[in-house]
Amino acid sequence: MSESSTTNAYLIIREGSKWADVVRLVPGESVTLGRAPTNTIVVKDERCSRYHAEVFQAQGKWKLRDLESRNGTMVSGEQLSRDHQLEPGDIIQIGNSHLAFVYDLSQAFPETGSLLRSSKAVDGSADGSDSNSDDDASIFETFEPTTITHRKDQSRFSDAPTHDAADESLPKIGRAAAKLCRLAFELAKSTDVVSLANEAIGGLFEGTQVDSGAILLRKRDSLGNRTSEDLEIVSSRSDGSHSYHRVSPFLAATVLREGQAVMARNVMDDSDLGNRDSRGEILATSVICAPIRLAGEVYGLVHLYTTETDRTTDPEDLEFTLAVADTIGVALENLNKRQVLAENLNQIRTQNVQLREQLGARSEIIGSSHVMSQVALQIARAAPSRATVLIRGESGTGKELVARAVHFSSPRAESSFVCLNCAALSESLLESELFGHEKGAFTGATDRKMGKFEQADKGTLMLDEIGEMSESIQAKFLRVLEGHPYERVGGTEQISVDVRVIAATNRDLEKDVAEGRFRRDLYFRLHVLEILVPGLRKRPEDIPELADFFLQRFNDETGRKIKGYTPRAMEELLRYRWPGNVRELKNVIERAVVLAPGEYIDHDDLVLSSLKTAGDTEVGVTIEREGNYEPSTLAEMEKVHILKTLHSTGWNKSRSASILGIERSTLDRKIRRYDLAGERPRAV
């Protein structure tokens, strides 16, 4: 086996009776096969497992391993029971799919038979001797005019070679096809025009009988398009005693104008290098000039020639050159597209940074009240840190939006944000969702599954309703928070992740800790940074803004053209206590937009519940116990309750606002609304 064979290895994918694709095996990188789209090779076969097998290199040898697949892996007709060292010609069978392992790409074309196994270079002579002549001083005593001997519009090397025993050129066709395949791989990996041209020149010299040549491209215009008539040399090479000499204007103009490859003999020029006639003018014995084109446009030229008397090109060299030129055209176009995509990506990233700077840490959170400004400030302070965040608030206040704002304002913004509701799953399912499971770990575990921690690696994991987590899972969860590795359910592999955890709850965790329903050590581990999201009743200033936001959203979704709210409807929205918070407001507005008969939403279109909020005091019960209970509106009840609270604190507004659970500014506004200032006792 040759040294080149040991460094290059390939998997040839077969579909039916034809080879469909080639995957190059790179030392140090494993190749996975399976139905899952994350595999290196995706096998669309029902008998193939999601992660079926892998090919990897060990001790310089390529090996195949079955990943405990459901239906097993076959190698050359035998069931795989352990790691198998791959040999050239091995056929890997997964279900009805076949892959061949080879070192030499020529083995990928079985229809050419043994003729393609030859490793002799195309430019070598039949007996292996050097075809280059050392006699550089031979002089042509006669001069023949430049003659175009062949023209070719489409190379048959672009198509798969067909076997014809009577065609004596088949061995060269097979070798050329293998060279084209390898060259296409190298061109596709090029990151700039110069490296692409250098790779192309190397392949052309290997596949043709020439000693000088170059890749020439049209110069770019002011818009960056290659439409100029002037050609620039991107890469050139000469293996003889003379340097490369530029293509003649006649040949260049002919190829650029007609878009066809040409081969010519006895081309003369006035350079002082190369073979000369009796007048001292250079004479190229054979010249090939092919257009680099794509979609009918000519980007440039491939120019090759030889000045050796005993070394001439033939029609097969013209075929090969044209095929390479077309491949260069496709590679150039792909390179241009990648550059455009890279520029667009950079522009989009810049725009995202600017937008995030404009939006700040508030993300999708709506509200300009003082309390929401404080929440935004807490988000901005918490975002850059790696510390765990505990978000507390009643149901429907927007705790997930706050968590998203923390994530997208943090250094982890480019990584995943994964959210899981702990109250929505049973204990066993919650453990599987968090930590993943191995195949066969429990009934129904037909495949290996990654948990939320693995999915959120390098990113953020939000656990909503953290207080609903069982004690057994709390213990395992705490170990992961402390940075310890964990195992999937039913597995033994140690997994380590880098995840920032954001927990959210509407429960009184301190009470749960006191009653033994929540681990004390986990509580202190979660309670590093805390963000309290206020209920909607504690920020009534935001209700009009939120109502307008939801009105516009549902107008767009339903096609309605509701213009706004009547004054009485807005008064109802401001007076209501919103036990369901922002979520309830959203649902109320959605129903009103769908069912409102007029152009404005009126109070009759608002369906409000009679549920009490989590922080409401039993005002009605207090009045009833005092006797003489009379039905009254919520506004009257609120007025009485605020007045009694003010009297109980000696009209200490700060203390009264704290007891009522509202801001001092909100209390001042309510005092003005209900005209309570006149009820304040006069100082004696």
Side-chain angles (χ1 to χ4, degrees), residues 281-400:
E281 295 175 327
I282 190 171
L283 185 66
T285 59
S286 186
V287 177
I288 292 177
C289 195
I292 299 173
R293 59 195 178 181
L294 188 69
E297 297 292 332
V298 178
Y299 286 178
L301 302 175
V302 173
H303 178 221
L304 305 172
Y305 65 87
T306 178
T307 58
E308 303 294 339
T309 57
D310 58 348
R311 189 178 189 183
T312 60
T313 58
D314 57 28
E316 298 300 335
D317 292 331
L318 178 65
E319 295 259 9
F320 184 81
T321 304
L322 181 57
V324 173
D326 286 342
T327 306
I328 294 172
V330 175
L332 281 173
E333 181 66 18
N334 291 337
L335 187 60
N336 290 338
K337 289 180 179 179
R338 288 202 300 269
Q339 291 173 346
V340 171
L341 288 174
E343 292 173 359
N344 291 340
L345 182 59
N346 290 333
Q347 182 178 2
I348 290 172
R349 285 175 176 170
T350 302
Q351 291 174 350
N352 284 342
V353 171
Q354 294 173 349
L355 288 174
R356 284 177 181 167
E357 290 176 352
Q358 294 173 8
L359 293 174
R362 299 172 68 174
S363 186
E364 299 176 341
I365 301 173
I366 304 298
S368 55
S369 62
H370 175 71
V371 291
M372 291 310 297
S373 298
Q374 292 299 312
V375 171
L377 182 61
Q378 293 175 355
I379 292 172
R381 290 173 176 173
S385 171
R386 296 170 53 91
T388 305
V389 179
L390 179 62
I391 302 175
R392 310 181 77 160
E394 299 173 16
S395 178
T397 53
K399 296 187 290 295
E400 183 176 343

Side-chain angles (χ1 to χ4, degrees), residues 512-647:
D512 289 345
V513 170
E515 296 176 355
R517 289 196 297 266
F518 198 82
R519 292 179 63 99
R520 180 181 296 270
D521 48 4
L522 178 57
Y523 167 77
F524 288 114
R525 184 64 183 81
L526 292 174
H527 199 243
V528 179
L529 299 175
E530 183 179 82
I531 298 177
L532 180 62
V533 185
L536 186 57
R537 66 184 176 280
K538 296 182 179 181
R539 52 181 183 120
E541 303 94 332
D542 295 331
I543 291 177
E545 187 176 352
L546 285 164
D548 290 338
F549 173 78
F550 290 129
L551 175 63
Q552 185 59 47
R553 171 189 287 186
F554 295 123
N555 269 342
D556 295 339
E557 290 182 5
T558 62
R560 298 293 305 274
K561 296 182 179 180
I562 304 296
K563 295 181 179 180
Y565 304 87
T566 63
R568 189 171 179 183
M570 184 56 67
E571 183 180 351
E572 285 288 326
L573 293 176
L574 292 171
R575 182 184 301 170
Y576 184 57
R577 297 285 289 169
W578 299 109
N581 294 296
V582 180
R583 182 184 294 120
E584 183 184 8
L585 174 62
K586 172 186 172 183
N587 295 335
V588 168
I589 301 303
E590 182 177 12
R591 182 184 185 279
V593 169
V594 172
L595 300 180
E599 294 182 342
Y600 290 88
I601 294 177
D602 201 357
H603 71 287
D604 293 334
D605 302 320
L606 303 174
V607 179
L608 305 175
S609 73
S610 58
L611 296 174
K612 293 184 180 296
T613 63
D616 273 348
T617 55
E618 301 293 335
V619 179
V621 175
T622 302
I623 296 177
E624 187 175 12
R625 286 175 180 172
E626 293 176 355
N628 301 324
Y629 171 75
E630 295 181 1
S632 62
T633 64
L634 287 173
E636 287 293 327
M637 295 172 66
E638 184 180 50
K639 176 181 178 181
V640 171
H641 183 64
I642 291 174
L643 184 58
K644 288 188 175 183
T645 302
L646 288 168
H647 283 316

Side-chain angles (χ1 to χ4, degrees), residues 148-266:
I148 295 176
T149 58
H150 295 80
R151 292 180 181 269
K152 193 70 177 178
D153 183 69
Q154 181 66 40
S155 171
R156 70 173 181 270
F157 285 134
S158 300
D159 302 323
T162 57
H163 180 68
D164 184 355
D167 188 350
E168 296 181 356
S169 66
L170 270 178
K172 190 170 183 178
I173 295 175
R175 293 194 300 272
K179 287 184 176 64
L180 276 174
C181 187
R182 287 193 295 269
L183 183 58
F185 276 116
E186 298 303 323
L187 294 181
K189 293 187 296 183
S190 300
T191 57
D192 57 82
V193 175
V194 175
S195 62
L196 186 151
N198 290 337
E199 289 288 349
I201 281 290
L204 287 164
F205 270 60
E206 181 185 353
T208 59
Q209 298 286 338
V210 298
D211 54 40
S212 296
I215 305 294
L216 301 95
L217 296 179
R218 292 179 184 269
K219 293 183 178 179
R220 295 184 182 274
D221 58 18
S222 58
L223 298 178
N225 300 316
R226 295 191 182 275
T227 58
S228 173
E229 292 298 323
D230 295 331
L231 297 172
E232 58 181 350
I233 300 174
V234 181
S235 178
S236 63
R237 173 177 167 181
S238 180
D239 291 347
S241 60
H242 59 84
S243 60
Y244 166 75
H245 185 68
R246 194 181 182 91
V247 61
S248 69
F250 168 72
L251 284 180
T254 301
V255 175
L256 290 175
R257 182 180 65 253
E258 300 184 11
Q260 293 181 324
V262 301
M263 184 168 69
R265 301 189 190 282
N266 303 323

